[in-house]
């Protein structure tokens, strides 16, 4: 079975804001996402880069995986990569990815920096963001562009600007389902949900949004506010009850299979090989997240 994606919740933290960093470290997020892009003013970009090594080490020492969202323009991006690639940064998030060639060029630069710093090539993974019409057109190729890619997400706000549409469940449904299919084809994790990450005030609504995302096949989500983290963690990991039920289903199926029957019933429903594979995935995810 495919390895379980490790980050149910990836909490954005502006790297120039010490108060937000300390608050973020207190949250149960699976990963802290240090932001060099939208939350950092242009005149603070250099200061932000200078802090990556120190802050990523601090996050690592407190048991947090670290992701860094870099900038898109090449002049900023190259500097961001040089500032971010290091032993305590697990992945870079690439915004506004237009095509597979762009990803391969970025990966080449990352490998050069890793080798220069005595790191194992391949240490730094990539999360790619599809945020415009060109990226949407090239989504399948982007997802499979390079072995460093571990996940892909649709950036709702920027995509809405590019397509001149509203940010609604109707407008975002098709791009997100396309992303799930592209990721599964490429063997990477689809992350995100059908909606805007900016909608954090209504916690009950956000809970329903991420639960729907999990049902659609997504494996984790970006969070811009600490209140979103518990909802994402709960949605993208099975409950203890679901894990227990899956184990019992598998046990019944294996007992029937030993008698030569490759289909059976469990709690009034038919069980065959695809249903068992789904149950095995529930057990694997539950074990990965400590259930």
């Amino acid at each position: 079975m495919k390895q379980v994606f490790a980050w149910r919740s990836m909490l954005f933290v502006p790297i120039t804001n010490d108060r937000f960093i300390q608050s973020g470290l207190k949250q149960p997020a699976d990963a802290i996402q240090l932001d060099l892009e939208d939350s950092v003013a242009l005149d603070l970009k250099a200061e932000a880069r200078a802090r990556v090594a120190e802050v990523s080490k601090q996050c690592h020492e407190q048991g947090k995986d670290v992701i860094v969202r870099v900038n898109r323009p090449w002049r900023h991006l190259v500097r961001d990569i040089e500032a971010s690639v290091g032993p305590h940064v697990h992945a870079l998030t690439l915004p506004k990815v237009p095509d597979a060639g762009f990803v391969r060029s970025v990966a080449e630069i990352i490998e050069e920096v890793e080798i220069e710093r005595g790191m194992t090539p391949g240490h730094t993974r990539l999360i790619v963001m599809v945020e415009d019409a060109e990226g949407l057109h090239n989504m399948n190729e982007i997802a499979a562009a390079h072995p460093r890619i571990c996940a892909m997400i649709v950036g709702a706000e920027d995509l809405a600007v590019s397509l001149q549409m509203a940010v609604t469940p109707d407008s975002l449904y098709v791009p997100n389902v396309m992303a799930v299919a592209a990721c599964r084809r490429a063997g990477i994790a689809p992350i995100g949900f059908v909606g805007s990450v900016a909608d954090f005030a209504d916690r009950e609504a956000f809970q329903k949004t991420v639960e729907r995302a999990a049902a659609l096949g997504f494996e984790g989500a970006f969070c811009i506010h600490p209140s979103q983290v518990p909802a994402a963690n709960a949605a993208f990991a099975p409950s203890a009850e679901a894990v227990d039920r899956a184990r019992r289903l598998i046990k019944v199926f294996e007992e029937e299979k030993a008698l030569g029957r490759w289909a059976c019933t469990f709690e009034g429903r038919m069980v065959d090989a695809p249903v068992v594979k789904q149950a095995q995935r529930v057990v694997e995810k539950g074990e990965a997240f400590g259930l």
Side-chain angles (χ1 to χ4, degrees):
M1 296 290 286
K2 178 180 174 291
Q3 185 178 2
V4 173
F5 186 69
W7 302 322
R8 298 164 298 176
S9 53
M10 292 152 272
L11 177 61
F12 274 112
V13 176
I15 196 169
T16 53
N17 191 310
D18 286 322
R19 183 170 64 86
F20 284 3
I21 292 169
Q22 293 306 314
S23 174
L25 288 172
K26 296 174 183 177
Q27 309 307 319
D30 290 332
I32 296 294
Q33 183 150 206
L34 303 175
D35 192 25
L36 301 180
E37 196 205 17
D38 287 344
S39 67
V40 178
L42 187 61
D43 61 346
L44 294 178
K45 297 292 186 185
E47 176 188 334
R49 292 185 196 105
R51 302 199 66 195
V52 174
E54 170 201 347
V55 177
S56 63
K57 183 174 184 291
Q58 180 183 2
C59 294
H60 171 76
E61 289 173 347
Q62 296 197 35
K64 297 292 187 183
D65 287 351
V66 179
I67 304 166
V68 178
R69 182 170 69 170
V70 295
N71 289 277
R72 171 64 178 88
W74 275 110
R75 291 179 64 196
H76 287 293
L77 175 55
V78 173
R79 294 167 185 160
D80 289 349
I81 292 172
E82 291 174 336
S84 301
V85 171
H88 306 308
V89 173
H90 294 74
L92 304 183
T93 294
L94 299 182
K96 304 175 180 66
V97 174
D99 52 41
F102 172 77
V103 178
R104 287 191 286 268
S105 296
V106 170
E108 181 178 334
I109 297 170
I110 292 173
E111 182 156 348
E112 290 176 0
V113 177
E114 286 177 338
I115 292 172
E116 286 174 1
R117 296 178 182 174
M119 299 171 60
T120 302
H123 167 87
T124 311
R125 307 303 300 277
L126 292 172
I127 297 173
V128 290
M129 299 188 72
V130 171
E131 300 188 271
D132 60 19
E134 183 179 6
L136 192 64
H137 178 72
N138 296 318
M139 185 179 284
N140 289 325
E141 292 77 14
I142 291 170
H146 199 275
R148 287 185 186 270
I149 299 175
C150 63
M152 181 166 71
I153 187 170
V154 172
E157 304 293 343
D158 283 293
L159 183 65
V161 172
S162 177
L163 298 184
Q164 300 182 37
M165 67 185 189
V167 182
T168 68
D170 283 343
S171 64
L172 294 171
Y173 178 77
V174 171
N176 276 280
V177 172
M178 288 172 59
V180 172
C183 289
R184 295 307 182 198
R185 190 178 298 113
I188 65 173
I191 59 175
F193 45 81
V194 183
S196 171
V197 72
D199 294 333
F200 65 86
D202 189 334
R203 297 187 185 186
E204 184 176 344
F206 183 75
Q207 181 75 56
K208 292 178 181 178
T209 295
V210 287
E211 287 173 353
R212 183 191 185 202
L216 287 171
F218 290 96
E219 296 195 41
F222 288 173
C223 302
I224 65 165
H225 192 274
S227 66
Q228 296 175 315
V229 170
N233 286 350
F236 295 111
S239 66
E241 292 77 14
V243 174
D244 177 67
R245 180 184 182 278
R247 288 190 175 119
R248 289 187 285 109
L249 182 151
I250 294 167
K251 183 174 183 293
V252 169
F253 179 79
E254 292 297 331
E255 290 171 348
E256 293 294 312
K257 190 172 72 170
L259 299 173
R261 293 188 283 267
W262 287 77
C264 63
T265 59
F266 179 78
E267 295 182 351
R269 299 191 66 184
M270 188 194 80
V271 173
D272 57 5
V275 176
V276 173
K277 287 181 180 179
Q278 290 179 325
Q280 289 170 337
R281 187 65 176 164
V282 170
V283 172
E284 288 179 350
K285 293 185 82 170
E287 291 175 349
F289 295 115
L291 299 178

